[in-house]
Amino acid sequence: MVRNNFWHTLHFRAVGYLLVLACLVSCGKATSYSDSSNRAQVDSLLSEARDSLSGNTAFVRAQVDSAMRLAKDSLQYYEALQVRAGSYLVESSFDTASRYNRQVLLFCLKQKPSARVTFLLASAYNTQGIYNQRVGTLDSAIFYFRRAYELKPTGEQLREIVPNILINLADSYMMQGNLTNAACYFRRALFVSDSLQITHYMGFPIYFGLGQVYMNLRDFDLSDRYFRMAEKTLDKRRLGERFTFCNNRGNYYYYKKEYAQALPWFRKARALVLPRHIDFSVYLCELNLSDIFLKLNLLDSAQLYADRSFKFFSAIKQPTALYYLATIKAGIALKQNRKDVARLLFSTYSDTVGIEPNIISIRHKALQEYYERTGEYRLAYQFLKRNNQLEEKVQSEQVKNRVAEMDMRYRQDTSLLRRDLVIETKEEEVGTLRQTRFLWVLASLVILLAATLIYFYMRKQRDLQRIRHFDQVVKLRMQSIRNRISPHFIFNVLNRKIVTAEDEQEQAELRRLVMLLRKSLEISEQLSVSLEQELEFVQTYLALERESLGADFSLSWEVEKEVRCDELLVPAMIVQIPVENAIKHGLRGKDGAKVLSVSVGRLRNGVQIQIKDNGSGFQQGASSSKGTGTGLRVIYQTIQLLNAKNEEHIDFQISTIPDGRGGGTLVVIYIPASYSYVI
């Protein structure tokens, strides 16, 4: 199968865990910004992005974009850019990920050395190493991981990244088949984690890695022991870690040739990533499942998963996967007795450069079986010998690894390493304290005054911003009113009258229309008008509409004498829009008598206006708080804005009149006398 050394299952630990904790921590605790509020915002955005990296790259990029916009300096910007690179690495967009990360590298190499720059550079080297792992250039991956490790960030940053770099380095050696160095660096990562007292969360990938090392050495008892140590905290791990563990636990049983026990682990791994649409992981599982089904003689399922994963890995041109898939598909063809197809498949993707020994061994065994089936026993024997040589190499590597492990245990004593790390950390803390003490003495002289000035300045800015906000809202509301009064009505009537005007009565109507136009322009430019202006406008409108409504139309108009219409201010169009709605939606299409009544009278400490028609009534299911159309919606929005600034509110109610009372629609408006229109 694409066994564990194929990028440590294509190094999905790097995507699901190390990428999150190692290559992205450059935006973490060590940064020191001049603006603490801005720092908190940027850190919060990037923390949320890192937490979502393994499953929601669209959200990650949205958070990164916000962080970049808030960035106060170039270093903040490039710290966020590295998170963006990680999001593309998760999606297997390798070239895009590398392009962004190289921008980070170039930036860091041009900067003067500092704690933040060193930390970001180490993280960028680490990310570049992960990229090279993903594309199969392991020598380059080891080069970048070593560069990252040589920088050795100090203090709190050391806890964040150094153990991860060591694990990545161990993974790279394991992918090369160099199990001695793989075990060495896993052990070193364990020593560092013990010394820093972070084994409670760093132990999982280390135990997991050691389990894979011993699995490659075919020491299944020791391998199982480390896998079980890692499994204790499996439920608390991130998605990428759980996926990698399940996939490699399946590998464990595969190498033990317990294929029925391997199957549920691969299915569980696939089920973890399928809902998140992490294609790279999904097709990796399907590749492994195709080999399991082949071993279980379930050829239809084997063919289905092999074809699906082959299509994906062909698109991204991954050599190890394609080499392995060609072997699986050839095995399927051989079991189907299609020997010619099997021969052709064995001849494709045959380059073994960069292919791990375990995958090559699977191909050799398949070729041995093929030549046995075709009667070419000499060639079958050659591939048998090659497999024996590979196994001897593994046995030899096992001896070397055990010697190296014992040497590591004596040469790298945990307590000595802890002492060195503590000394290094304390030296940095002492230097930082001296600088801080000097700056604090200087800053304490002005901090109170500065804090006071900043407080009043920020308060003033908030007040100005709130004023600008309300002003903008008012302008938008009034602009909306002006744009939504249905001017086509006025122009339609004007065109009709101009064409048919033959006598003085027609000319009089044209004059009323001109008056209506003038008043419409005057009213629409104001937030409030006098009730007298509003009623005059409505009367002019009704005079023009009367003819189109026919002889069956009757108007009742009542205004109490006690109401001072010239002194009371009302929101512009608050009567006109309900009247226009009554004409257009209630009366125009009605058969028989059409009755509209408008009444104005005093109520409590204000005025009540009623508009009533005998039309079809208020639309069923419409909300009185939302209105039935654009005009009413504008009225409600305007009233809501004005009520927020007044203790006594305008009340606007619309309802259907029951059939027993003649039917129709009733609009009731209450406007307080002392209502303020100042925003």
Side-chain angles (χ1 to χ4, degrees), residues 32 76 95 145 267 269 314 477 481 540 620:
S32 175
Q76 279 184 308
D95 292 339
F145 287 140
R267 283 177 168 167
S314 295
R477 291 285 189 265
I481 292 173
T540 305
Q620 294 296 324

Side-chain angles (χ1 to χ4, degrees), residues 351-417:
D351 187 3
T352 60
V353 176
I355 308 299
E356 64 167 283
N358 285 327
I359 304 298
I360 297 173
S361 176
I362 294 172
R363 172 73 70 99
H364 286 176
K365 290 178 182 177
L367 284 166
Q368 178 186 338
E369 181 183 357
Y370 168 78
Y371 287 122
E372 288 174 355
R373 295 279 294 275
T374 58
E376 300 175 72
Y377 296 108
R378 183 180 59 83
L379 292 174
Y381 177 69
Q382 289 182 3
F383 282 102
L384 175 62
K385 287 178 61 178
R386 292 181 186 179
N387 267 335
N388 289 337
Q389 291 171 357
L390 283 174
E391 290 178 2
E392 289 175 1
K393 181 180 179 181
V394 169
Q395 293 299 322
S396 176
E397 192 70 28
Q398 181 179 16
V399 174
K400 293 179 181 178
N401 182 72
R402 293 198 183 279
V403 172
E405 183 180 335
M406 293 301 295
D407 184 58
M408 283 283 295
R409 288 176 179 175
Y410 285 101
R411 286 190 300 106
Q412 297 207 4
D413 180 78
T414 303
S415 61
L416 293 176
L417 184 58

Side-chain angles (χ1 to χ4, degrees), residues 578 581-583 585-587 590 593-597 611-620 628 653-668:
N581 282 342
I583 296 296
H585 303 304
L587 301 179
K590 176 179 173 58
K594 307 177 181 68
V595 179
L596 174 67
S597 67
I611 301 104
K612 180 167 64 175
D613 66 73
N614 67 337
S616 58
F618 187 60
Q619 294 182 7
Q620 294 296 324
T628 60
Q653 298 292 332
I654 180 169
S655 60
T656 298
I657 302 173
D659 290 339
R661 297 170 56 189
T665 301
L666 174 65
V667 178
V668 180

